[in-house]
């Protein structure tokens, strides 16, 4: 998004009806990076299929406005994007990158990287109901990634598994520096009880 006036608040790109091959989709995650005072770049994701897609898809996106995190309207218009998208190349590899402390033993066990996004899969012994993994992320070029979401679920054995999706805006980015923390909340009220910082980890992108 480029604007002729400074944009001080991150615009939410997921506004507007999103359709793929005529079928409405829900947005799963969203990430936005400030390039300068007048320009923001970002990505939102939606699950098209549980299977790998090797053919072109038709996408339609018709936003009417863009709001900020504080629900203020940053831009209005009548946009109607109709795109033909082909699959991009990606690779996936197993990794073994532990992180945590004496109480929390976690590890990144798989990395998937494509043209625009890296997904890090992890597992560990956090309680998926009262303990939540939070991440602050930077890269070797000095970019700061804000509001990066972490998706988790429980296995039958009681372990928590999850993934982190990171929008990568530059092909020259070689390393992600992730600083995790554990957010502990009250089981009934979900109010914050404690925030436990963990040591940073470097994740190479190749």
């Amino acid at each position: 998004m480029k604007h002729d006036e400074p944009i001080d608040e991150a615009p939410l790109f997921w506004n507007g009806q999103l359709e793929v091959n005529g079928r409405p989709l829900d947005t799963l995650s969203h990430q936005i990076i400030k390039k300068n005072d007048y320009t923001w770049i970002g990505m939102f994701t939606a699950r098209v299929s549980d299977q790998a897609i090797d053919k072109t898809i038709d996408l339609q996106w018709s936003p009417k406005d863009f709001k900020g995190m504080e629900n203020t309207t940053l831009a209005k218009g009548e946009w109607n994007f109709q795109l033909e998208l082909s699959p991009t190349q990606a690779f996936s590899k197993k990794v073994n990158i532990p992180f945590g402390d004496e109480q929390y033993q976690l590890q990144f066990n798989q990395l998937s990287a494509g043209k625009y996004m890296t997904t890090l899969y992890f597992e560990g012994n956090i309680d998926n109901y009262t303990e939540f993994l939070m991440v602050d992320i930077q890269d070797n070029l000095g970019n700061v990634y804000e509001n990066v979401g972490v998706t988790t679920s429980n296995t039958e054995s009681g372990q928590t598994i999850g993934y982190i999706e990171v929008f990568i805006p530059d092909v020259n980015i070689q390393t992600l520096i992730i600083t995790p923390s554990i957010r502990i909340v009250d089981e009934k009220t979900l109010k914050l009880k404690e925030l436990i910082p963990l040591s940073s980890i470097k994740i190479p992108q190749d």
Side-chain angles (χ1 to χ4, degrees), residues 27-85:
T27 301
L28 296 178
S29 66
H30 171 274
Q31 190 178 340
I32 186 77
I33 296 172
K34 185 175 183 179
K35 190 172 183 180
N36 56 50
D37 288 343
Y38 302 89
T39 307
W40 292 77
I41 57 176
M43 169 179 271
F44 58 81
T45 65
R47 182 174 294 278
V48 178
S49 170
D50 288 330
Q51 305 297 321
I53 296 177
D54 59 1
K55 59 185 178 180
T56 299
I57 61 174
D58 295 315
L59 180 143
Q60 182 169 343
W61 182 42
S62 305
K64 299 290 189 293
D65 59 18
F66 292 98
K67 296 185 182 296
M69 298 296 291
E70 302 299 325
N71 205 36
T72 53
T73 299
L74 303 177
K76 287 185 176 181
E78 292 288 337
W79 293 280
N80 186 17
F81 298 100
Q82 297 187 33
L83 307 172
E84 218 178 52
L85 301 180

Side-chain angles (χ1 to χ4, degrees), residues 187-199:
E187 187 173 4
K188 293 182 178 180
T189 66
L190 298 182
K191 289 184 177 180
L192 177 66
K193 293 174 60 177
E194 188 177 1
L195 189 65
I196 301 176
L198 302 174
S199 298

Side-chain angles (χ1 to χ4, degrees), residues 160-197:
T160 291
I161 59 174
Y163 61 88
I164 304 166
E165 291 180 324
V166 187
F167 168 51
I168 305 294
D170 192 324
V171 296
N172 295 313
I173 292 170
Q174 298 176 345
T175 305
L176 295 177
I177 300 101
I178 300 178
T179 303
S181 58
I182 303 295
R183 178 184 176 90
I184 303 176
V185 301
D186 183 88
E187 187 173 4
K188 293 182 178 180
T189 66
L190 298 182
K191 289 184 177 180
L192 177 66
K193 293 174 60 177
E194 188 177 1
L195 189 65
I196 301 176

